[in-house]
Amino acid sequence: LALSPPPLSLEACEEATKLLNFHKKLEQQRVTAPAFRLRERAAAATIVSLGPHTILPDPALVAASPLSQHWQGDSTNLTYVRLIVGRQERLADQMRREFRIPEKRIAYLRLIGLALTKDGWPEIEKMSLAKKPPVPLETIVEVYIQAGRGQESMSLIARLPIESRVRYLTLLGNTNEAISLARQDRSGGLLYMIQRLLPKTDRAAHEELAALRARLGRAGTSSSEHSRITSPTM
């Protein structure tokens, strides 16, 4: 026998009712916004530094989406993002207050919404330049890349830890710069990461990276041997 899902808590029922009523008001006021769905990771309530995961819905599909007055059935996160994309700032702020959405989550959802609009990028740039960005810098870089604006994120990439810098430089096709950073760091691990990120069809790059890793390995072995031989015995 199939098990029935556990009953919703009283708090969850109240939240669902509140959201339904909010949606009904939007529909009564004929508020419109593009209709789309969030990626599963982007829809999560817990916001973390995402690394190389898909965050944005396809911006081209969102841009081509017809305006819709239908809201019922959307999650809290999706409702907020749609309001941002539809430039319904007053209603988005009202929702933030009424549903007490945490600030970190709001910043993340706002980032998604702004990235799906043509005129949202100045605010994203301002967000990235903050002393303490409201969203992890790596997540902002991911959004730039997934929106097809990777080259515009180079100044942000330069502020990331070396592993992230090497990864994003490789993903953006700046392989030589990524290799140079890995060599300066004398890191076989970073060279291996570049090798994994490159297409297997790029045989020349794979061979170069394998040779560099082997050279680093030999240098490390020689250094260890020298240290063992020259260290004083007890």
Side-chain angles (χ1 to χ4, degrees):
L1 293 175
L3 296 175
S4 58
L8 291 174
S9 66
L10 178 60
E11 183 180 358
C13 287
E14 289 175 348
E15 283 296 306
T17 301
K18 187 197 297 187
L19 183 60
L20 177 61
N21 290 334
F22 189 80
H23 284 156
K24 286 180 177 178
K25 287 181 182 178
L26 293 178
E27 291 175 357
Q28 288 167 2
Q29 295 171 18
R30 298 185 178 181
V31 176
T32 61
F36 56 90
R37 287 288 174 264
L38 291 178
R39 302 277 187 178
E40 183 180 349
R41 190 68 183 263
T46 303
I47 305 306
V48 294
S49 181
L50 299 180
H53 298 281
T54 301
I55 300 170
L56 292 182
D58 187 330
L61 290 179
V62 173
S65 298
L67 293 178
S68 172
Q69 296 179 12
H70 181 75
W71 295 88
Q72 293 182 50
D74 287 354
S75 67
T76 302
N77 287 353
L78 178 56
T79 302
Y80 183 85
V81 173
R82 285 186 64 200
L83 288 172
I84 294 298
V85 175
R87 310 312 288 167
Q88 302 287 348
E89 293 285 347
R90 181 184 60 80
L91 289 169
D93 190 58
Q94 179 185 336
M95 186 177 191
R96 174 188 64 80
R97 288 182 279 104
E98 285 188 14
F99 289 81
R100 298 180 181 178
I101 305 174
E103 289 302 317
K104 285 187 178 180
R105 188 166 152 206
I106 281 291
Y108 176 77
L109 295 173
R110 186 171 184 82
L111 171 65
I112 294 174
L114 291 170
L116 295 172
T117 63
K118 290 182 179 179
D119 56 352
W121 290 95
E123 185 175 335
I124 293 176
E125 184 179 3
K126 185 178 179 181
M127 190 184 292
S128 71
L129 294 174
K131 193 170 184 180
K132 290 186 177 180
V135 176
L137 204 56
E138 190 165 337
T139 303
I140 298 176
V141 170
E142 285 286 341
V143 165
Y144 267 95
I145 292 173
Q146 290 170 23
R149 294 171 173 257
Q151 294 304 320
E152 297 176 35
S153 69
M154 296 303 291
S155 61
L156 304 182
I157 291 172
R159 293 161 54 191
L160 295 174
I162 188 167
E163 182 177 344
S164 296
R165 282 158 59 197
V166 168
R167 179 171 69 242
Y168 289 122
L169 286 169
T170 305
L171 290 173
L172 290 171
N174 296 11
T175 310
N176 290 337
E177 189 176 348
I179 292 173
S180 178
L181 278 175
R183 291 182 66 179
Q184 289 172 30
D185 199 56
R186 302 185 65 79
S187 172
L190 290 178
L191 290 171
Y192 179 61
M193 181 176 70
I194 297 170
Q195 206 169 357
R196 286 175 52 207
L197 290 172
L198 287 176
K200 292 182 179 180
T201 52
D202 193 346
R203 294 184 62 182
H206 276 273
E207 289 173 3
E208 178 189 357
L209 286 161
L212 286 171
R213 288 174 58 207
R215 202 178 308 157
L216 272 177
R218 287 195 298 271
T221 302
S222 300
S223 177
S224 297
E225 285 292 317
H226 178 75
S227 176
R228 183 177 61 81
I229 293 169
T230 57
S231 61
T233 56
M234 298 298 290

